[in-house]
Amino acid sequence: MLAVLSGLAFVGTAVTHMLDDGAICVETDFWQNASLAKEEPLPINKGVDAASSAARLCQESPSVGQRAAELGDGLPWLLFGTLALLLFSRLLKDVMSQGPFTEVVSRRLSAVGWFVTVGTPIAGLVVGWSHSWLVDSMAPIVGLDPTVAGPQALILAGLAAVIMGKIMREGVRMREDLEGTI
């Protein structure tokens, strides 16, 4: 149920955000120590308001690409969380119906682990690229490289789930061998 609600929130956020006609803002630490002196203005595009103290850029009438890039600044994590919850709910359903030490549960645990291990850096890259593109579309800067954003420690949790899935799979095989012997 939580995964379905998160999925609806994902779709609702995407649709309402793309239909919104308000300004968009992005924060960057690139100019954090710069001054906004009139004699040497920062290289920002027309219609962009820059505040050096907050390192924040705002575009009054953003393009569709800028609005999509701003959406890509947070929506990948919502999608990642929704899919992770869906996989986890399927895992719990199998645990409740078949017990924790079965082949299906060990496979599902490994699937959740691989999804978290691979999905975390992918979602982080999408967020980083969207953020970098949005900043570059407001203030063209040569040499601004995209970064990986988000909680990359989730990779370790995913790897732990993969390892536990393999351990459980071996335990299931040992139990089946023992039952076959007895």
Side-chain angles (χ1 to χ4, degrees):
M1 183 68 165
L2 189 57
V4 170
L5 289 174
S6 294
L8 289 174
F10 174 80
V11 171
T13 301
V15 169
T16 57
H17 187 77
M18 289 304 289
L19 296 176
D20 185 18
D21 61 351
I24 60 171
C25 294
V26 64
E27 291 189 13
T28 179
D29 58 355
F30 188 75
W31 288 321
Q32 205 149 16
N33 296 322
S35 67
L36 292 174
K38 298 253 189 235
E39 56 274 355
E40 284 187 41
L42 294 174
I44 57 176
N45 288 341
K46 185 177 181 182
V48 176
D49 180 32
S52 177
S53 62
R56 184 177 173 101
L57 302 170
C58 293
Q59 178 78 43
E60 284 303 319
S61 55
S63 68
V64 173
Q66 286 174 323
R67 190 157 304 278
E70 187 196 27
L71 191 59
D73 208 13
L75 211 55
W77 288 115
L78 183 59
L79 179 62
F80 173 77
T82 300
L83 294 175
L85 279 174
L86 183 64
L87 289 173
F88 189 68
S89 70
R90 291 177 61 197
L91 169 69
L92 290 179
K93 180 181 172 189
D94 286 338
V95 167
M96 295 299 290
S97 66
Q98 300 176 13
F101 301 106
T102 60
E103 183 72 23
V104 173
V105 171
S106 66
R107 278 196 318 257
R108 294 239 191 248
L109 183 60
S110 291
V112 169
W114 280 117
F115 178 77
V116 171
T117 301
V118 174
T120 298
I122 290 173
L125 280 171
V126 170
V127 169
W129 285 335
S130 294
H131 184 85
S132 295
W133 187 87
L134 185 58
V135 169
D136 190 52
S137 73
M138 290 184 195
I141 303 167
V142 178
L144 183 62
D145 294 325
T147 59
V148 178
Q152 298 304 309
L154 287 175
I155 295 172
L156 295 176
L159 289 174
V162 169
I163 292 168
M164 286 304 299
K166 289 189 181 282
I167 290 171
M168 286 179 66
R169 190 170 297 130
E170 285 301 314
V172 168
R173 286 192 186 116
M174 289 172 60
R175 186 184 73 186
E176 289 171 355
D177 287 346
L178 182 61
E179 287 174 357
T181 319
I182 296 176

